[in-house]
Amino acid sequence: MRFHKECLNCKKLLVGRTDKKFCDPQCKSAYQYQIAKEQPERFYDKVGNQLKLNRKILKEYNKGGKVTVRAEVLNEIGFNPSFFTHYWKNKKGDVYLFVYEYGFLKKVEHGSDKFILIKWQDYMKK
């Protein structure tokens, strides 16, 4: 007894096993991709995507090893300082937040928010 007489993706007539749902692997893949797209984004996917975006932004703006950038510039392109992987505290007590190997410290200079961007160095190991 055949339950699915046509491919769930392309609607072509199925030939072969009675429990067959797709005509080929490409249709199965396309169908599963479409179903996954319709699902709400999972929490871990949101976190991972934001970390990737933060790293990309920090890498792009930190070409010199240590750079100061206005916070509004980074925030406008999607940077979210609430997402980071680890932190490092320097001898002065400043806590740099890191997204993998790129770090940032939020400072207020002359009334405007800025980020000091750095790259992880060997001396920062504990």
Side-chain angles (χ1 to χ4, degrees):
M1 176 180 205
R2 182 176 288 281
F3 294 107
H4 302 282
K5 296 186 184 230
E6 57 187 29
C7 177
L8 292 177
N9 187 54
C10 70
K11 308 300 181 202
K12 287 182 184 174
L13 186 62
L14 294 175
V15 179
R17 292 177 36 178
T18 57
D19 60 345
K20 193 172 183 180
K21 296 179 184 178
F22 304 98
C23 56
D24 59 31
Q26 289 80 12
C27 273
K28 181 178 181 181
S29 179
Y31 180 80
Q32 290 174 339
Y33 175 76
Q34 190 61 37
I35 296 298
K37 261 180 61 174
E38 294 168 1
Q39 299 295 322
E41 191 175 27
R42 294 187 337 226
F43 172 75
Y44 293 107
D45 294 335
K46 287 180 186 178
V47 171
N49 290 338
Q50 186 63 53
L51 285 172
K52 287 177 194 173
L53 178 61
N54 281 358
R55 182 186 180 278
K56 178 181 172 186
I57 292 169
L58 292 174
K59 181 180 180 182
E60 179 66 30
Y61 279 85
N62 189 1
K63 301 280 187 195
K66 183 175 183 182
V67 180
T68 302
V69 181
R70 288 190 326 269
E72 64 190 43
V73 172
L74 298 183
N75 293 338
E76 284 176 2
I77 56 177
F79 181 75
N80 186 339
S82 299
F83 291 82
F84 56 92
T85 56
H86 61 286
Y87 66 91
W88 172 71
K89 189 173 183 178
N90 68 8
K91 291 179 183 175
K92 291 192 250 178
D94 297 326
V95 177
Y96 285 85
L97 303 177
F98 277 82
V99 181
Y100 304 108
E101 73 272 28
Y102 296 99
F104 61 95
L105 172 66
K106 189 169 188 175
K107 286 276 190 179
V108 178
E109 291 181 359
H110 308 294
S112 66
D113 291 335
K114 297 184 179 183
F115 286 114
I116 299 172
L117 308 182
I118 63 171
K119 193 168 180 186
W120 184 263
Q121 303 293 321
D122 287 336
Y123 72 86
M124 295 176 178
K125 295 178 184 174
K126 294 184 178 193

